[in-house]
Amino acid sequence: MTDTFKDYITKTKSIINKTAFVNMKVLCERRQIPQLNFECHFLFLDSDTFAQAITRKVDNELKRAIQFNLHYIKEKEHRNLFLSEIVPHEVCHLVQHHLEFKNGFKHQGHGKLWYSLMKQVGYTFPRETISLEKLNDLRKIKS
């Protein structure tokens, strides 16, 4: 890995972290809930996964994390997608987990609560999934 590439990855991770924490702060304030702690992890996931939000109970404490796929972060053309859609999408899942946990944690995936959280961070028509094929098609059209 060249220094420039390492710098790019380090900078991108930092920006993604900051974006995630800002989104979390906004959602917690709007939902009037305490600030939720979570971590961002950057690792290689299955090739069709951009990121995933995870909430687990460990030693009677909830641990929250967003795992971001380094496979896509290293590609510069995906950076804006991560910042504008994937980060808020996953943060909304963490808040959703928190709100649903109070009611026995019946995770609804992309249900009404997740949809309303996405609207609270500015998405009129949030996407539930992002298709790699559609991204590749868009890239071909732009070229």
Side-chain angles (χ1 to χ4, degrees):
M1 235 186 317
T2 65
D3 283 340
T4 351
F5 185 70
K6 283 182 186 176
D7 291 344
Y8 167 77
I9 293 295
T10 302
K11 185 176 181 181
T12 300
K13 286 179 178 181
S14 174
I15 292 169
I16 286 173
N17 266 307
K18 288 175 186 171
T19 303
F21 284 97
V22 166
N23 276 273
M24 180 63 81
K25 184 178 183 199
V26 167
L27 277 173
C28 289
E29 286 174 1
R30 289 186 178 163
R31 298 299 290 206
Q32 298 179 344
I33 59 175
Q35 181 72 29
L36 302 178
N37 294 323
F38 68 100
E39 297 177 358
C40 292
H41 301 279
F42 300 87
L43 43 108
F44 289 99
L45 303 170
D46 291 338
S47 64
D48 62 342
T49 304
F50 283 100
Q52 56 190 9
I54 299 170
T55 301
R56 291 199 170 95
K57 198 168 191 176
V58 178
D59 298 328
N60 275 344
E61 187 180 338
L62 288 179
K63 301 283 185 182
R64 296 175 194 87
I66 302 175
Q67 296 179 335
F68 294 100
N69 194 340
L70 275 171
H71 176 74
Y72 296 109
I73 290 173
K74 69 181 185 178
E75 296 179 29
K76 291 183 179 183
E77 66 265 18
H78 292 126
R79 186 174 177 174
N80 287 339
L81 176 69
F82 267 91
L83 296 175
S84 65
E85 288 195 54
I86 293 171
V87 171
H89 178 117
E90 299 304 334
V91 170
C92 285
H93 278 305
L94 290 180
V95 174
Q96 173 191 18
H97 296 170
H98 171 78
L99 295 171
E100 289 179 347
F101 189 76
K102 292 178 184 178
N103 301 322
F105 200 62
K106 296 177 183 166
H107 183 58
Q108 296 294 315
H110 300 108
K112 289 180 184 177
L113 178 57
W114 175 84
Y115 195 81
S116 74
L117 291 168
M118 286 294 285
K119 285 187 165 193
Q120 287 183 318
V121 288
Y123 288 85
T124 309
F125 301 104
R127 292 196 271 186
E128 294 176 9
T129 59
I130 297 169
S131 163
L132 289 175
E133 288 176 18
K134 286 182 182 175
L135 282 177
N136 290 332
D137 290 346
L138 285 172
R139 236 182 273 128
K140 287 176 190 171
I141 292 170
K142 289 180 182 178
S143 307

